[in-house]
Amino acid sequence: VQLQASGGGLVQAGDALTLSCVVSGRTLSLYHMAWFRQAPGKEREFVAAIYWSGGNEYYADSVKGRFTISRDNAKATVWLQMNDLKLEDTAVYYCAARERRRGYSDAAVPSKYDYSGQGTLVTVSS
């Protein structure tokens, strides 16, 4: 399974940005999906997760109400819509896949995921 994240860039605080993650190799519907991020000098942190069939979205408190995760299994794509970006959102964003047979609990734990993409950099400036 390959995960290709894209859509990052340099934006100003308050702007919006949408990240995409295209999954190839196996059908997307086999996986629960999530976004994580890692800022320089910090550990990878959970951002959002979504159930294999859509719904049951789960967000980190720091992004709740500003970010939206969505997916289209037919298009093999997962998105992260980010609104009202803040300086502290600056990070490399990674999408991750977890085989749905393994369940959806502990969705915020990076080690629960089976695959991860190479990441896309989001830089928020003032």
Side-chain angles (χ1 to χ4, degrees), residues 2 10 19 31 35-36 40 43 45 55 57 85 97-98 105:
Q2 291 79 45
L10 174 63
L19 306 183
Y31 303 97
W35 287 94
F36 292 85
E43 293 188 354
E45 67 170 352
E57 296 95 343
L85 283 161
R98 177 179 179 180
S105 61

Side-chain angles (χ1 to χ4, degrees), residues 14 25-26 34 41 63-64 77 87-88 91 102 110 113 116 122:
R26 297 187 75 190
V63 306
K64 200 172 297 182
T77 303
L87 298 179
E88 53 265 36
R102 298 183 58 208
Y113 289 80
S116 181
V122 174

Side-chain angles (χ1 to χ4, degrees), residues 28-29 31-33 49-58 69-73 78 100 104:
L28 180 59
S29 62
Y31 303 97
H32 304 306
M33 297 296 295
I50 188 167
Y51 203 66
W52 72 270
S53 56
N56 287 326
E57 296 95 343
Y58 178 48
I69 187 172
S70 60
R71 65 188 293 160
D72 186 330
N73 289 341
V78 181
R100 72 188 204 203
Y104 193 56

Side-chain angles (χ1 to χ4, degrees), residues 5-18:
S6 62
L10 174 63
V11 297
Q12 291 188 322
D15 284 352
L17 197 63
T18 299

